[in-house]
Amino acid sequence: MINSEIAKIFDGIADLLEVKGDNPFRIRAYRRAAQNVLTLPDDLSTFSLDDLMAVPGIGKDLASKITEYAETGTITAWEELKAEIPEGILDLLAIPGLGPKTVKLIFDTLQITSLEALERAARTGGLEQLPHIKEKTVENILKGIAMLKRGRERLPIGTVLPVANEIIDYLKDHAPVRNISLAGSLRRWKETIKDIDILVTADSSKKVMDVFVRMPGVADTVSKGPTKSSVVLSDGISVDLRVVEKDSYGAALQYFTGSKEHNIKMRERAVKKGLKINEYGIFQEKNGKKLGGKREEEIYTVLGMDYIEPEMREDRGEIEAALSHELPALLTEKDIRGDLHVHSNWSDGSHPIEEIAREAKKRGYEYIALTDHSKGLGVAHGLTEERIRKQMREIDRVNSRMKGFTILKGTEVDIKSDGSLDFPDSILKHLDIVVASVHSGFKQSREKITYRLVSAMKNPFVTVIAHPTGRLIGERDAYEVDMEQILSVAAETGTAIEINAYPLRLDLNDVYARKAKEMGIPIVISTDTHIATQYAYMSYGIAVARRAWLEKKDVINSRGIRALKKYIAIKRDRS
């Protein structure tokens, strides 16, 4: 698929246009197009011009650019724009938190065009002579450079998983594989991934390896052997492929899935029972007799354990729970009855209300909460009091036409800098659900950010706190916030905390989500959908929940509409 490359180019064009001081509406159009094409499940190279123009945010001009890339592997306008900008500017634009205007200021004043030169200037005081750049700004630039360097080592799962799935589909179609599976941290659904690990059984390992190293998108073959080969893709992602014997496939899958800490505990358990485990199977130590390994479950059964799902294999008590038969019945995607964080084209979404609702119904959902932004988020065309009243009437009209499905009237209300909400209670009390979130002031003190979130939770009409730490993986660190206090107040007030399933957010993370479960705090898993294809992001949120040991009972949008409304009513009465 060329979707990710197109998205990167459109984002790059937007960045460079911003450096040039171009029309902000043009810049926004490229950013919206980048977001929308990235979430499409189908390969853009297979679209006709008319198909492309049917994608939200793609007009004739952008559609022709996509077609050009599909046919030639490049976009002339992109190459011409890069030629106008000094070499190295794109590297600076990649630094999290360093916007195009600051990049332009630094270049115009100091002629800096490399990460090394910028880091040197930041450490030696060279940046503080520039207008509007203070000590805190310099500190943030250095943090951004460090984050960029980390990001080159580990990538967000949302970037890597689609690529991995494409590779698996390609090998299934073009190589003589029998069994095939992801392994490593990707199979455990960790939020960042170093490389892709794939395990297969096959009738001819040579044929599989020949296909693998010649796949489209392979930039370099690091090694090629009869049982293991490694390649680097054109986007820099490393991929390892192992071919194993079918009688050892389960053992190899368990071994190469990890984690390292989980496997160490497993080996310790084996030793106590006079056994040994490796990638070939599980054996009696005294005579080498093989007791299992064809199926992954056999490794756990021989050790007297219940099977442990891959997402839980982090040595966080799962082995002890498996031995005592106390593993949780982990949440699955089929448990989800609706999505409680959805945007329409009334704010910054791409679809009319009825269209976004019908797409959710097609997925088997019983309800969604329409949570367009409040007026304070002007960049997202947030709703005024007058517009949200009008939207409520429109939701009533749409609901009257839909059978077996409910659109809940909601808002994603902005938590302002002083802790107050962007809508008064006189508006909030008429809504079915209120999702509150922070969209500004990320660099405020820990005490101030915490105060804002606590104030919102104490409002009786606030049902959910969305993306509670504000992070964007690889792009923006979480703001400073006292999560222990946030969870404590959530438990006290009955406020639900969101696991935002957008792949760059995954916020709440698995560690705090498990803490929330232990404290009895209700969890919501929502996609923050702005375009209908983003409903598919739910799988990422489910994975976070499973890593956090969450069960169906822990997640309020696993409830039917009546039980959900009852929860909301109880929260309002409780506060």
Side-chain angles (χ1 to χ4, degrees), residues 471-482:
R471 71 167 181 180
L472 291 173
I473 299 170
E475 295 181 12
R476 183 176 70 210
D477 280 336
Y479 40 64
E480 293 289 331
V481 62
D482 185 346

Side-chain angles (χ1 to χ4, degrees), residues 23-44:
N23 186 322
F25 293 101
R26 187 181 179 208
I27 294 167
R28 198 171 302 148
Y30 274 106
R31 294 209 189 280
R32 183 184 178 210
Q35 182 186 50
N36 289 355
V37 302
L38 192 60
T39 61
L40 290 173
D42 302 311
D43 189 347
L44 287 172

Side-chain angles (χ1 to χ4, degrees), residues 200-231:
V200 304
T201 63
D203 294 330
S204 170
S205 64
K206 182 181 185 303
K207 289 180 180 179
V208 172
M209 294 308 186
D210 286 344
V211 171
F212 175 65
V213 300
R214 293 171 185 162
M215 289 186 306
V218 171
D220 183 36
T221 299
V222 178
S223 65
K224 182 187 178 189
T227 60
K228 181 186 176 185
S229 295
S230 300
V231 300

Side-chain angles (χ1 to χ4, degrees), residues 368-401:
I368 60 168
L370 193 67
T371 55
D372 281 318
H373 291 287
S374 59
K375 61 183 183 298
L377 209 61
V379 69
H381 193 45
L383 275 63
T384 61
E385 283 89 342
E386 180 182 355
R387 289 183 66 222
I388 198 168
R389 288 191 184 98
K390 185 177 179 182
Q391 186 185 71
M392 284 189 255
R393 293 192 291 272
E394 175 63 16
I395 290 172
D396 284 336
R397 282 192 288 271
V398 175
N399 273 333
S400 69
R401 294 193 292 268

Side-chain angles (χ1 to χ4, degrees), residues 354-563:
E354 186 163 355
E355 183 178 343
I356 198 70
R358 291 197 179 279
E359 288 297 324
K361 188 177 180 183
K362 285 180 186 177
R363 293 184 65 86
Y365 289 161
E366 299 174 22
Y367 54 82
I368 60 168
L370 193 67
T371 55
D372 281 318
H373 291 287
S374 59
K375 61 183 183 298
L377 209 61
V379 69
H381 193 45
L383 275 63
T384 61
E385 283 89 342
E386 180 182 355
R387 289 183 66 222
I388 198 168
R389 288 191 184 98
K390 185 177 179 182
Q391 186 185 71
M392 284 189 255
R393 293 192 291 272
E394 175 63 16
I395 290 172
D396 284 336
R397 282 192 288 271
V398 175
N399 273 333
S400 69
R401 294 193 292 268
M402 298 192 73
K403 304 299 180 185
F405 188 88
T406 303
I407 305 169
L408 295 168
K409 300 168 188 172
T411 180
E412 183 179 8
V413 66
D414 206 34
I415 305 172
K416 297 194 286 189
S417 289
D418 63 357
S420 64
L421 299 177
D422 202 24
F423 280 136
D425 287 356
S426 59
I427 291 288
L428 300 181
K429 70 181 181 180
H430 293 295
L431 296 170
D432 297 312
I433 188 168
V434 175
V435 175
S437 57
V438 170
H439 288 104
S440 61
F442 295 145
K443 296 175 184 176
Q444 288 181 330
S445 70
R446 174 185 174 93
E447 292 74 21
K448 185 69 172 177
I449 293 280
T450 303
Y451 170 77
R452 291 168 68 183
L453 289 165
V454 167
S455 296
M457 287 188 285
K458 290 184 175 179
N459 184 297
F461 302 110
V462 171
T463 318
V464 183
I465 295 295
H467 41 77
T469 74
R471 71 167 181 180
L472 291 173
I473 299 170
E475 295 181 12
R476 183 176 70 210
D477 280 336
Y479 40 64
E480 293 289 331
V481 62
D482 185 346
M483 281 305 301
E484 297 297 330
Q485 186 178 353
I486 297 302
L487 294 179
S488 177
V489 175
E492 173 191 328
T493 60
T495 308
I497 302 293
E498 178 189 77
I499 294 176
N500 189 292
Y502 181 69
L504 289 184
R505 287 192 185 274
L506 303 184
D507 180 14
L508 205 62
N509 69 21
D510 57 342
V511 174
Y512 282 122
R514 186 169 175 191
K515 178 76 171 176
K517 171 188 170 76
E518 292 167 353
M519 296 174 67
I521 298 166
I523 294 291
V524 169
I525 306 174
S526 298
T527 60
D528 205 347
T529 281
H530 286 70
I531 179 173
T533 50
Q534 291 175 346
Y535 281 128
Y537 287 161
M538 185 61 74
S539 59
Y540 291 90
I542 297 293
V544 174
R546 289 169 66 86
R547 286 178 58 80
W549 297 37
L550 266 61
E551 302 175 82
K552 180 179 178 179
K553 64 184 180 181
D554 302 314
V555 178
I556 66 170
N557 54 315
S558 69
R559 304 176 187 182
I561 187 67
R562 289 185 179 179

Side-chain angles (χ1 to χ4, degrees), residues 235-445:
D235 55 9
I237 299 174
S238 298
V239 188
D240 292 339
L241 176 69
R242 288 180 174 85
V243 179
V244 301
E245 296 294 332
K246 64 179 181 180
D247 285 343
S248 297
Y249 180 69
L253 189 56
Q254 193 282 325
Y255 181 85
F256 289 113
T257 293
S259 65
K260 177 183 176 181
E261 294 78 10
H262 176 85
N263 285 354
I264 288 172
K265 276 284 186 73
M266 290 283 285
R267 289 198 296 271
E268 290 174 352
R269 171 68 179 170
V271 168
K272 289 179 181 178
K273 291 177 69 69
L275 305 171
K276 64 177 181 179
I277 307 172
N278 55 34
E279 63 264 45
Y280 304 108
I282 183 165
F283 305 87
Q284 287 184 349
E285 181 69 47
K286 60 182 179 181
N287 58 18
K289 181 182 178 181
K290 188 172 182 177
L291 303 177
K294 186 174 184 178
R295 294 171 56 252
E296 190 178 33
E297 291 84 353
E298 293 170 358
I299 306 300
Y300 293 92
T301 299
V302 172
L303 291 177
M305 298 177 171
D306 291 338
Y307 176 74
I308 300 173
E309 297 289 348
E311 298 94 327
M312 296 179 68
R313 300 178 195 175
E314 300 290 349
D315 188 23
R316 296 176 181 169
E318 71 277 5
I319 289 176
E320 292 79 3
L323 286 167
S324 59
H325 310 294
E326 295 177 342
L327 286 171
L330 295 184
L331 184 79
T332 67
E333 198 156 355
K334 68 181 180 181
D335 293 325
I336 299 299
R337 310 281 285 274
D339 196 325
L340 298 180
H341 189 163
V342 175
H343 296 275
S344 75
N345 62 359
W346 282 62
S347 64
D348 59 345
S350 296
H351 305 289
I353 293 171
E354 186 163 355
E355 183 178 343
I356 198 70
R358 291 197 179 279
E359 288 297 324
K361 188 177 180 183
K362 285 180 186 177
R363 293 184 65 86
Y365 289 161
E366 299 174 22
Y367 54 82
I368 60 168
L370 193 67
T371 55
D372 281 318
H373 291 287
S374 59
K375 61 183 183 298
L377 209 61
V379 69
H381 193 45
L383 275 63
T384 61
E385 283 89 342
E386 180 182 355
R387 289 183 66 222
I388 198 168
R389 288 191 184 98
K390 185 177 179 182
Q391 186 185 71
M392 284 189 255
R393 293 192 291 272
E394 175 63 16
I395 290 172
D396 284 336
R397 282 192 288 271
V398 175
N399 273 333
S400 69
R401 294 193 292 268
M402 298 192 73
K403 304 299 180 185
F405 188 88
T406 303
I407 305 169
L408 295 168
K409 300 168 188 172
T411 180
E412 183 179 8
V413 66
D414 206 34
I415 305 172
K416 297 194 286 189
S417 289
D418 63 357
S420 64
L421 299 177
D422 202 24
F423 280 136
D425 287 356
S426 59
I427 291 288
L428 300 181
K429 70 181 181 180
H430 293 295
L431 296 170
D432 297 312
I433 188 168
V434 175
V435 175
S437 57
V438 170
H439 288 104
S440 61
F442 295 145
K443 296 175 184 176
Q444 288 181 330
S445 70

